Every structure is written in C-alpha cells, then in structure tokens.
Amino acid sequence: MAKLANLLVATFGVLLVLNGCLARQSLGVPPQLQNECNLDNLDVLEPTETINSEAGRMEYWDHTNRQLRCAGVSISRLVIEQGGLYLPTFFTSPKISYVVQGMGISGRVVPGCAETFMDSQPMQGQQQGQQEQPWERQGRQGQQGQQGRPWEGQGEEGQQEQPYERQGQQGQQGFRDMHQKVEHVRRGDIVAITPGSAHWIYNSGDQPLVIISLIDVANYQNQLDRNPRAFRLAGNNQQGQQGGFGGRQQGQQQGEEEKNMFSGFDPQVIAQALKIDVRLAEELQNRRDNRGNIVSVKGPFQVVRPPLRQAYESEKWRHPRGPQDNGLEETICSMRTHENIDDPARADVYKPNLGRMTNVNSLTLPILQYLRLSATRGIIQRNAMVLPKYNMNANEILYCTAGQGKIQVVNDNGQNVLDQQVQKGQLVVIPQGFAYVVQSHENNFEWISFKTNANAMISTLAGRTSALRALPLQVITNGFQIPLEEAKKIKFNTLETTLTRARGGQPQLIEEIVEA
C-alpha cells in the first residue's frame, strides 16, 4: 500500500513538471531562456555588423545580446541608395518596420493570393529587333501540336492553359504584366509583414531610403529557434551575413557566402518546374552575381501601381469602421499593411509646446492582431518629459530617429539599470514591467518604439491617470511615512497624463496641461 502511495506521488510530480514545461512552450518561452531577463544593467545599443551591397547596406544589432534575447527580438537597419532595389526576402517570424527617411515602392508576395494589379496595356515583344517570345505567339493552335509548346499545359477540357494575359488584335502582340499589391512607402510609415511573405522595396526618391525593422523571433508563429533567418528569392550575400540578422549561426564558417533559395536545387529541376531551358534556370541561381541583396536598377523601374497620395493628407478613410472583423474586407490578401504615424493629425497625445505621441495597434491596423505587434511614435521638444511609466503586457524596443534625450530605467528590484543619453541611431530595450522616463533638455527628441503585443498597454507612475492617483490617501501616508498634506501633493499636483515640462517642481498653468 505504501509503495502504491509513493508511486502515485511520484507520478503526480512528473505530471506537474510536464505541465509546467508544456505551459512555457505554449507561451513561446523556451526553458533555456527562463533567466534571460534577470537584468541588473541595461546598455544603449548600436549596430554591431554592416553588410554592404551594390546599392546600399544592411546594419544589424547582435541578436545574442542579453537584452535583445530577453525581449525575443532581432533588429536591423536597411539603407537603400537612390535607384536601389532590395530583393525579395521572407522571414519565419513577423516583421514590423518604420520608414525613418525617404520614400519608395514596396511589394509583398502573400502565398495563395491572386495578382490584383494588372497592366492595362500589353507589353510589346517585337520592338527594336527583339526576338519573338513564346507568349507572344498567337493563332497557331491548328498549325503546331502540343510538342514544342512547353510553356502551356493541357486543360481539363482539352483547352490550352494560358499562363499570361494575352492581347491579340490584328497583329498586336504582347502580354499584360500581373502581380500582387504594390504600395508607396514614405517617411513615417509603419509597415507590417507576415511570416513567409516575401517582400521587396525600391527607392524611388532622391535621397537614401532608411528603414528600421524588428523581427519578433519569440513569436508563436516562428517554429524554429530564436536565431533570425533571412530566406532570399533572389540575389546573394558574398560577405556571409550571419544568420540573417547578425550573430553567426553555429556551424557557419566565417565569410561563408549565403545564396538564394534557387541555388540549392539542381538546374534541371528548376527548368522542369518553370518550363524553361537549363541555361535560364542557372541564371536564377545568381552564382556569378556579387551585387548582394540590394542592387542598382538599370533604367526606369516600371511596375503597375496607383498614384502617390498627397503627403500628410487625412487618412480617416483608411481606418476600419471598428474593432470588429467582418470576415470579408480583412482577409490576409487584402489587409492593409501600412499606416503613417508621422502626421500630427493622427496624434493620440498632443501638446503644442511639448510634443506628441501616436500609437498604432490592432485597432488602427488590423493585421497587427495577427502579428501580435504594435508601435508608438514619440516627439518631444526641448525641456519636456514623458511621465514615468511601464509596459503592462509587452517588451519595448525604443529607437531614436532624431535629436537626443535622456532615458532612465528601473527594474523589478528598484535598481536604476540605465541612466544615459540616447541619440540618433541608438536603441534601448525596455523589458515588460520595467519603469522608465524619457526627457529632453537642449534638443528635441524623436523616437519609434516597437512593442511585442498587438494592443500594448501602459501604466503611469505620476499624473492624472497614474497608480498613485488611484491610491487612497491613507495608503500613501502609511506606505511612505509622510503627513497627509504631503500625500495630497503627491497625489494631486501633477494634472497631466502623459507629457509635462521638465522644470523641477514648478507649477504649470491650467491651459498648459490640456492634452488632446
């Protein structure tokens, strides 16, 4: 009987351990990372690696850094020179980007979605002495058989399947280009990319296009480990980019060239799959191409796309009618992936003499509900302060886009783990629950924050909606051992909710503290 009781106790203990492990896995937290966030010191981080290409460069933060490991993210900065094209690439984790500078054209390829952009005029193939192409041949169904027509297949009813939209009127020959959705991107745009969706970007402006990106490698949709990986459909990397986003993978040799996905297949297989000759299949492998993953476009870049909208126009028409999903307009194929948060009219908090803050989450950009990411744009003027706060349900990665500011961060032990100036191009990781304050002194301070939750929430430690304001006076007096009158000052003196003037306890006029 005693043995049976011991066996039951042991079995119950094993079940508890297994249940804990499964619970951690369901939350996307590998057991080996359970102590990654025991941080007693934070640092201002800068890129540790640069990969140069023909028409730009990719800069990476070391994703093995303990702070980034805690947040479960990887960060990169993409710089595309004028006329440069970032070749199609996809990742296994959700990606969110912010356009820091410039403008361009962006496209994504969502598997299974149809081409919805189509050229209205057929492309002519026999101009300037060009040789006739297979897709330009017309009216020959009765003159030659199926042999010699490898680009066409036999349909279910004996009809030839046409892989291209054709135009055949009185000798007019050509085909219409079709592709998935293409959008304009500009400074201030948030761009969301789903896992497995290849995306490309072309710089159509007159200055370098700079984009800061976050990949959520700890996201539940990433079934691999926490090492970011870039899968390229075209181009290669002669310098041997380490693991896709900085930080060399185990077993990868120094300087090992990274190629596109076609490079690993036998050219015969590619030729059979695409119904092309072997010579052309070998061209897809980019074996003799040393341009990198950002290449210069020779001549005009012509893709079907709508006209560019006016800068900072009202974008209310782009917002959903409400938080409800209707199941039709918000399919993965038609879902919006862009939202501009630099427009002052989009501000959630606005004070003319202090600054503004703008949030984008799943309510303003529904695709973020699927990615489980969000972002905040902040701009404060000199001698302004963002009241102390903490993130309730997300890690935050704060990247400075302009100016200079001071950030202080306090951990769960009440220790000051960061007290430094942050300037353009640097970032700070702020783990969930860590309290922090942002200040500007002699310069304005601008930043973009990525957060690892579709609807990230904050709690302030000072101000009209703060935790102190919600406490009873008796709790404050006994908790801090102060008189009742002093407790009233702590609770009621700060009337703002988010932004205030950083000038050491001086009272402010009522008209200065009204926030939109």
Side-chain angles (χ1 to χ4, degrees):
M1 192 70 179
K3 292 183 178 180
L4 179 60
N6 292 335
L7 180 62
L8 290 175
V9 171
T11 303
F12 182 70
V14 171
L15 290 176
L16 284 178
V17 172
L18 290 176
N19 181 66
C21 293
L22 291 174
R24 290 190 61 81
Q25 291 181 2
S26 67
L27 293 173
V29 183
Q32 67 271 22
L33 301 179
Q34 56 185 342
N35 294 321
E36 290 286 343
C37 293
N38 289 339
L39 302 171
D40 54 9
N41 182 61
L42 296 179
D43 297 313
V44 175
L45 303 180
E46 296 186 356
T48 57
E49 181 184 10
T50 300
I51 304 297
N52 294 309
S53 296
E54 179 187 45
R57 66 183 185 275
M58 293 173 284
E59 301 172 339
Y60 304 97
W61 278 257
D62 181 10
H63 78 278
T64 63
N65 180 281
R66 194 176 181 187
Q67 298 169 67
L68 294 176
R69 294 280 288 181
C70 170
V73 300
S74 183
I75 309 294
S76 74
R77 183 165 58 211
L78 180 64
V79 180
I80 307 174
E81 300 297 337
Q82 183 178 358
L85 173 65
Y86 175 72
L87 297 175
T89 305
F90 73 86
F91 299 88
T92 57
S93 303
K95 179 180 180 180
I96 186 171
S97 303
Y98 175 79
V99 182
V100 179
Q101 172 186 298
M103 61 184 298
I105 303 168
S106 173
R108 60 183 177 126
V109 180
V110 182
C113 296
E115 304 98 329
T116 56
F117 281 38
M118 180 185 298
D119 195 354
S120 59
Q121 297 295 328
M123 300 176 65
Q124 300 303 309
Q126 295 196 37
Q127 297 177 356
Q128 299 178 356
Q130 293 183 14
Q131 187 177 2
E132 181 184 27
Q133 299 297 324
W135 52 82
E136 297 167 344
R137 302 174 190 173
Q138 302 177 25
R140 303 185 183 181
Q141 286 82 355
Q143 299 179 15
Q144 50 188 2
Q146 182 67 18
Q147 186 176 3
R149 302 286 299 279
W151 53 88
E152 297 181 352
Q154 190 72 17
E156 294 180 359
E157 301 180 358
Q159 298 179 355
Q160 302 293 336
E161 295 182 7
Q162 306 296 328
Y164 309 97
E165 285 286 327
R166 298 189 180 184
Q167 181 76 14
Q169 296 181 358
Q170 298 180 354
Q172 189 179 32
Q173 301 179 7
F175 71 96
R176 290 186 176 127
D177 187 22
M178 297 181 295
H179 51 75
Q180 289 192 16
K181 188 175 183 180
V182 172
E183 297 180 287
H184 296 275
V185 293
R186 56 173 176 168
R187 180 181 181 271
D189 272 357
I190 286 289
V191 182
I193 301 294
T194 54
S197 297
H199 62 286
W200 55 266
I201 307 170
Y202 171 71
N203 184 352
S204 60
D206 56 2
Q207 61 178 327
L209 178 60
V210 182
I211 300 174
I212 182 76
S213 300
L214 174 144
I215 288 186
D216 186 9
V217 293
N219 193 281
Y220 73 103
Q221 297 184 74
N222 178 29
Q223 299 297 299
L224 303 177
D225 51 33
R226 285 195 175 187
N227 296 312
R229 291 174 171 85
F231 296 82
R232 300 175 182 82
L233 298 188
N236 57 36
N237 178 16
Q238 296 285 344
Q239 300 182 47
Q241 174 184 332
Q242 287 97 8
F245 253 39
R248 184 168 298 278
Q249 298 297 319
Q250 292 183 358
Q252 188 177 17
Q253 299 299 320
Q254 179 70 26
E256 180 181 353
E257 179 182 358
E258 293 185 350
K259 305 174 182 178
N260 68 49
M261 300 186 70
F262 289 105
S263 298
F265 290 103
D266 189 311
Q268 291 284 354
V269 173
I270 300 175
Q272 294 170 13
L274 297 178
K275 296 179 173 59
I276 58 178
D277 57 52
V278 176
R279 179 197 58 80
L280 185 55
E282 291 175 345
E283 293 293 332
L284 294 180
Q285 298 180 325
N286 289 118
R287 290 181 176 177
R288 294 179 296 273
D289 191 345
N290 58 2
R291 298 176 298 167
N293 207 44
I294 308 173
V295 302
S296 295
V297 173
K298 311 303 181 184
F301 187 76
Q302 298 178 345
V303 296
V304 182
R305 61 185 186 275
L308 178 65
R309 63 183 184 269
Q310 295 296 320
Y312 299 133
E313 66 180 1
S314 175
E315 298 185 6
K316 290 183 179 180
W317 63 274
R318 300 176 67 230
H319 294 172
R321 289 188 295 271
Q324 307 91 342
D325 296 338
N326 58 27
L328 293 176
E329 294 180 355
E330 293 173 356
T331 63
I332 195 67
C333 294
S334 60
M335 199 173 273
R336 289 190 301 109
T337 62
H338 291 58
E339 181 78 11
N340 192 280
I341 57 175
D342 259 17
D343 186 349
R346 282 273 287 105
D348 296 305
V349 175
Y350 177 71
K351 300 182 73 172
N353 297 324
L354 292 180
R356 66 178 187 271
M357 298 184 68
T358 308
N359 300 310
V360 57
N361 52 33
S362 66
L363 301 179
T364 52
L365 192 60
I367 196 173
L368 295 179
Q369 182 66 43
Y370 176 67
L371 302 185
R372 297 188 180 180
L373 296 170
S374 57
T376 298
R377 173 65 165 158
I379 299 177
I380 56 176
Q381 301 177 21
R382 56 183 300 184
N383 297 323
M385 171 194 291
V386 180
L387 291 172
K389 59 181 178 179
Y390 62 89
N391 291 295
M392 300 169 58
N393 58 350
N395 296 311
E396 178 176 351
I397 292 80
L398 186 152
Y399 173 82
C400 176
T401 59
Q404 188 179 52
K406 185 178 182 180
I407 298 180
Q408 295 185 21
V409 183
V410 177
N411 68 3
D412 54 323
N413 293 325
Q415 298 174 328
N416 187 312
V417 294
L418 178 70
D419 186 1
Q420 292 187 34
Q421 294 284 341
V422 181
Q423 56 189 4
K424 181 178 179 180
Q426 296 178 328
L427 66 82
V428 173
V429 177
I430 305 171
Q432 177 184 2
F434 282 43
Y436 70 100
V437 62
V438 179
Q439 296 175 286
S440 62
H441 296 296
E442 299 301 322
N443 302 290
N444 292 352
F445 183 51
E446 302 182 12
W447 73 93
I448 182 73
S449 286
F450 298 121
K451 300 187 178 184
T452 57
N453 194 297
N455 293 289
M457 297 182 292
I458 64 168
S459 178
T460 55
L461 298 180
R464 186 156 42 94
T465 58
S466 68
L468 287 176
R469 184 69 175 261
L471 291 175
L473 284 172
Q474 289 298 322
V475 173
I476 297 176
T477 57
N478 287 277
F480 299 103
Q481 293 185 319
I482 56 176
L484 181 62
E485 291 302 319
E486 299 296 326
K488 290 180 180 179
K489 294 179 181 179
I490 293 174
K491 183 171 181 176
F492 297 111
N493 269 14
T494 302
L495 302 180
E496 302 93 334
T497 60
T498 306
L499 303 178
T500 188
R501 184 72 63 186
R503 53 185 187 188
Q506 298 183 20
Q508 297 187 8
L509 300 176
I510 293 296
E511 58 267 21
E512 291 183 350
I513 61 176
V514 177
E515 298 185 6

